[in-house]
Amino acid sequence: MKYISTRGQSKPLSFSEILLGGLAPDGGLYLPEHYPKFSYDDLNSMRSMNYPTLAFHIISKFVDDIPENDLKEIINKTYTKDVYAYSRKEQKAEDITPILKIKDNLYILSLSNGPTLAFKDIAMQLLGNLFEYVLVKKNKEINILGATSGDTGSAAEYAMRGKKGINVFMLSPYQKMSRFQTAQMFSIQDANIFNLSIKGVFDDCQDIVKAVSNDLNFKKDFKIGAVNSINWGRILAQIVYYFKGYFAVTEKNEEISFTVPTGNFGNICAGHIARMMGLPIKRLVVATNENNVLDEFFKAGIYKPRDAKNTLHTSSPSMDISKASNLERFIFDLIGRDDKKLNLLWQSVDQGGDFNLNQEGFFEKIKDFGFISSSSTHKERIHFIKEIYSQYSIMIDTHTADGFKAAFEHAESNVPMVILETALPIKFEDYIVEAIGKKPERPKSLMYIEDLPQRFEVLNNQTEEVKAFIRQNV
Ligand SMILES: *Cc1c(COP(=O)(O)O)cnc(C)c1O
């Protein structure tokens, strides 16, 4: 299996060759040259597999340069009930992504039972183990540099802590994360994890990461890498739980729909690929918040990203994204994998412009791929958190509440709808209190996390200070 770039100007490469990188050299995103397909009978044979067995069955179709037994071992140690230890009392932790029935034909797929209580753990934990394996094999090292406003950074740190050949330098805005998020990241004591608290806002952190990465000599000398959401390994890991969730709510391969709270389009892109592989998905519902660039695109066929100034800070902050990198992967499939056409579309996007798919009939084709969309407001999220708690005694977080809004809008009475739970309510305590007047329950292991000793460095908002810190610590 080779991987090709959506822009068509990069050499096709194998899985291990693209694993550690981000963008392809031509600026595109990697995709497998074709999608493996599962038949009706294949699906039946996969139906009763446990999570790691299912994960190996799917992932091994995309990886042909890691020996099967090694891949199996990596997957088996990633998806254990000790790593995904949190689960609601109706659920079993060994399901890794257990299902929760809300009512007939409405379910939550719990993706947030890992160490940082958000769905990014599912992919990042696998990435940590794959990175370590590939780096040790090649006798190489990598220094991961990233910026975070909360979720991504902690998922990366928990995945990479203590891993051979890997250091993590994670920039976050000084005193701007919630107390819980801060404690989650800064209480990590492993020597290979460096929390750099920058006197600025999140965009400043991101600008520093860009400036360091654009210094090609520094990047090469200090082996700077990234684990951002365009990484193919993250998408690949996420395909698995669409199958797991599907089998949990069906009996004989009937069609179901998924609703996915969306930011960078990574999670739902994995759903699109699962569908292309033959999983009977009727609809993929894109749920956005007030930052509704994707809702606009799926409703009108016009993709018009916004800049940071026009991106709102909302109560579902992990979806405050107005340029959805992974959309490029879907558009590539939508336009029949025509890389010349794709280059034209993104020429406009990369220059701060937009594109319109109505002119050549591509917009019409979107429905053949199952996509449909919705957006929500803060008031609607609070309403759904309150409603779901009062009717079913289930607490949901603000991102999952975006999902409920969209799911209720698009649910069909005879098609099961599965909403992906992308974070646990505990991560966004203040909004839960706003909605229902009480705090969500905490997993025991995180009960006193704010009291643990913290390990972080405060730096000025200056690229040179970050570079100097990296120089001194690798
Ligand atoms: C990252 C994140 C999202 C958005 O996921 P994408 O893959 O970027 O679409 C949604 N909810 C939560 C809680 C997240 O952390």
Side-chain angles (χ1 to χ4, degrees):
M1 170 74 77
K2 292 281 186 204
Y3 288 84
I4 55 171
S5 164
T6 49
R7 310 265 175 120
Q9 305 297 311
S10 301
K11 194 173 88 176
L13 295 171
S14 67
F15 180 79
S16 297
E17 290 170 314
I18 63 156
L19 177 67
L20 299 174
L23 289 177
D26 60 8
L29 278 67
Y30 283 112
L31 274 175
E33 58 192 348
H34 67 267
Y35 297 125
K37 294 270 194 304
F38 291 122
S39 68
Y40 189 92
D41 289 340
D42 291 335
L43 291 176
N44 283 337
S45 72
M46 294 157 73
R47 182 165 278 287
S48 55
M49 289 178 182
N50 66 20
Y51 198 97
T53 308
L54 183 64
F56 175 75
H57 193 76
I58 294 167
I59 292 171
S60 59
K61 301 263 187 289
F62 292 91
V63 181
D64 59 9
D65 60 347
I66 295 177
E68 286 207 345
N69 282 336
D70 292 358
L71 184 62
K72 201 172 270 176
E73 202 173 299
I74 291 166
I75 289 173
N76 284 344
K77 79 170 176 192
T78 302
Y79 297 112
T80 70
K81 66 175 181 344
D82 298 328
V83 177
Y84 297 89
Y86 179 85
S87 67
R88 292 187 171 88
K89 56 181 181 302
E90 307 85 337
Q91 299 176 316
K92 287 194 303 226
E94 60 261 37
D95 285 340
I96 310 299
T97 60
I99 204 90
L100 184 68
K101 184 171 177 173
I102 307 289
K103 60 174 186 172
D104 278 351
N105 281 337
L106 187 67
Y107 304 85
I108 288 179
L109 184 62
S110 300
L111 305 179
S112 307
N113 296 348
T116 74
L117 311 182
F119 89 99
K120 292 191 174 68
D121 287 331
I122 305 237
M124 209 70 93
Q125 288 286 322
L126 180 68
L127 223 54
N129 289 327
L130 281 170
F131 271 34
E132 183 178 50
Y133 174 87
V134 170
L135 287 165
V136 167
K137 263 227 147 131
K138 297 185 174 171
N139 197 17
K140 282 190 178 167
E141 286 162 13
I142 192 172
N143 292 303
I144 293 169
L145 177 66
T148 187
S149 54
D151 285 349
T152 312
S154 56
E157 291 187 355
Y158 278 80
M160 305 294 167
R161 63 193 296 187
K163 294 276 187 286
K164 289 190 266 310
I166 306 176
N167 290 309
V168 178
F169 297 89
M170 191 57 66
L171 280 54
S172 57
Y174 179 60
Q175 294 185 335
K176 298 255 172 18
M177 296 188 292
S178 75
R179 251 165 59 78
F180 181 82
Q181 284 177 318
T182 307
Q184 246 187 340
M185 284 179 54
F186 292 6
S187 64
I188 296 181
Q189 298 296 329
D190 299 71
N192 71 327
I193 303 294
F194 299 94
N195 286 302
L196 305 184
S197 192
I198 304 293
K199 287 187 179 163
V201 295
F202 170 67
D203 285 335
D204 297 321
C205 298
Q206 208 157 27
D207 287 346
I208 293 176
V209 169
K210 272 189 206 142
V212 174
S213 304
N214 287 338
D215 179 343
L216 296 182
N217 286 329
F218 187 90
K219 191 176 172 188
K220 190 159 153 273
D221 292 348
F222 292 93
K223 305 177 186 79
I224 300 296
V227 284
N228 42 29
S229 74
I230 54 163
N231 181 291
W232 164 252
R234 287 180 62 179
I235 307 280
L236 175 57
Q238 291 168 1
I239 295 171
V240 177
Y241 53 67
Y242 284 88
F243 282 83
K244 183 76 180 153
Y246 175 79
F247 293 131
V249 306
T250 58
E251 278 169 7
K252 26 183 210 309
N253 302 344
E254 57 271 38
E255 280 195 318
I256 72 165
S257 295
F258 286 95
T259 297
V260 188
T262 307
N264 230 335
F265 209 72
N267 193 351
I268 200 162
C269 184
H272 158 66
I273 295 172
R275 191 173 182 276
M276 299 295 277
M277 294 172 72
L279 194 67
I281 298 176
K282 182 159 191 212
R283 283 185 171 162
L284 285 164
V285 184
V286 177
T288 72
N289 61 24
E290 291 88 338
N291 296 299
N292 57 353
V293 167
L294 287 171
D295 186 34
E296 277 178 6
F297 171 68
F298 284 99
K299 286 208 164 89
I302 298 165
Y303 179 54
K304 192 174 189 330
R306 298 172 198 154
D307 57 16
K309 279 196 305 293
N310 291 299
T311 303
L312 305 166
H313 292 280
T314 74
S315 51
S316 48
S318 301
M319 294 160 59
D320 292 345
I321 294 175
S322 295
K323 194 171 188 176
S325 319
N326 283 295
L327 185 67
E328 183 169 336
R329 288 190 158 111
F330 167 62
I331 300 291
F332 187 58
D333 286 341
L334 177 72
I335 62 176
R337 296 200 151 196
D338 177 347
D339 52 56
K340 289 190 188 61
K341 172 91 193 147
L342 190 114
N343 273 294
L344 285 177
L345 296 175
W346 254 267
Q347 228 164 42
S348 167
V349 169
D350 288 343
Q351 287 164 8
D354 55 22
F355 63 72
N356 185 338
L357 289 185
N358 286 289
Q359 285 128 0
E360 290 154 83
F362 288 119
F363 179 55
E364 283 295 292
K365 282 184 71 184
I366 284 183
K367 57 179 181 310
D368 301 340
F369 288 83
F371 281 99
I372 194 160
S373 70
S374 175
S375 68
S376 75
T377 62
H378 175 73
K379 214 173 136 190
E380 287 167 326
R381 290 188 286 279
I382 295 296
H383 164 80
F384 276 103
I385 293 170
K386 203 191 244 169
E387 189 70 11
I388 300 304
Y389 185 67
S390 69
Q391 293 224 16
Y392 308 103
S393 303
I394 292 166
M395 277 193 207
I396 55 169
D397 94 296
T398 44
H399 304 76
T400 310
D402 286 310
F404 270 85
K405 157 75 200 303
F408 273 83
E409 196 173 313
H410 294 296
E412 298 163 283
S413 59
N414 50 357
V415 181
M417 173 66 84
V418 175
I419 300 167
L420 304 196
E421 179 175 55
T422 55
L424 288 186
I426 176 65
K427 293 203 89 167
F428 303 96
E429 207 167 72
D430 293 349
Y431 299 122
I432 307 304
V433 173
E434 179 182 340
I436 63 177
K438 66 176 177 191
K439 288 187 180 181
E441 216 177 275
R442 270 197 193 193
K444 275 197 198 67
S445 58
L446 297 171
M447 208 62 100
Y448 304 106
I449 191 166
E450 288 96 337
D451 302 334
L452 295 174
Q454 299 194 348
R455 193 168 157 269
F456 64 100
E457 296 283 333
V458 180
L459 299 183
N460 289 311
N461 177 15
Q462 273 170 5
T463 304
E464 284 312 314
E465 283 200 24
V466 172
K467 281 185 180 169
F469 186 89
I470 295 173
R471 262 188 217 106
Q472 282 154 22
N473 287 282
V474 295

